[in-house]
Amino acid sequence: MVVLSYGCATTAGKAFETSESQVKLRSMQTRAFDTTDKQKMMQTVISTMQDLEFVIDKADLTLGSISGSKFLGYAVVAMTVTVRPRGEKQLLVRANAQYGIKSVEDPETYQDFFTALEKALFLTAQQVE
């Protein structure tokens, strides 16, 4: 007698596990900046996202969250950026992008965003609009 056991193994137990790749992705998505002016950082993030052709869907200064979207081909690219304090002298900015329903895991995408954000912060510091 052969008993075959096929179950519907649930992955609920693994729902909150993090793999090394997720930690690596979070590292790509996050930058620390030497400023404590959250409002100015959020305004610069909004300007940067608009420069990258995102339409701002929602921004909340209290939560430090900005969401925007844009069309790329036939799919929507959605990006959420969070700004939160890191210690007493820094802000942590994390960008999370989705192409359709898939998370964007390409490091170059996040590098491009942070490069544009750093340029915008430099111009803001030099008071160039």
Side-chain angles (χ1 to χ4, degrees):
M1 178 172 163
V2 176
V3 177
L4 297 175
S5 175
Y6 292 101
C8 297
T10 178
T11 58
K14 296 182 178 182
F16 298 111
E17 286 185 15
T18 57
S19 67
E20 184 178 337
S21 65
Q22 290 171 323
V23 173
K24 198 176 201 177
L25 177 62
R26 186 173 54 209
S27 159
M28 291 185 302
Q29 295 172 329
T30 308
R31 293 285 189 282
F33 294 91
D34 292 331
T35 180
T36 56
D37 191 340
K38 186 177 179 181
Q39 184 171 352
K40 187 180 276 186
M41 177 63 80
M42 289 190 64
Q43 289 171 338
T44 307
V45 167
I46 288 170
S47 297
T48 302
M49 289 176 70
Q50 289 174 329
D51 290 347
L52 297 172
E53 302 177 351
F54 281 88
V55 174
I56 304 302
D57 300 322
K58 189 176 179 182
D60 188 316
L61 178 61
T62 305
L63 296 175
S65 172
I66 303 153
S67 298
S69 58
K70 72 176 186 179
F71 283 99
L72 191 62
Y74 294 107
V76 174
V77 177
M79 178 158 13
T80 299
V81 179
T82 56
V83 178
R84 62 182 176 91
R86 179 185 192 197
E88 294 180 10
K89 297 181 179 179
Q90 288 187 320
L91 290 174
L92 212 53
V93 177
R94 182 175 181 187
N96 187 359
Q98 285 190 307
Y99 181 77
I101 59 169
K102 294 184 73 174
S103 179
V104 174
E105 297 181 0
D106 175 32
E108 199 169 310
T109 300
Y110 297 106
Q111 287 172 353
D112 290 347
F113 171 74
F114 284 113
T115 299
L117 179 61
E118 288 166 359
K119 287 179 183 175
L121 287 168
F122 175 77
L123 293 175
T124 300
Q126 302 302 315
Q127 297 180 342
V128 177
E129 290 292 323

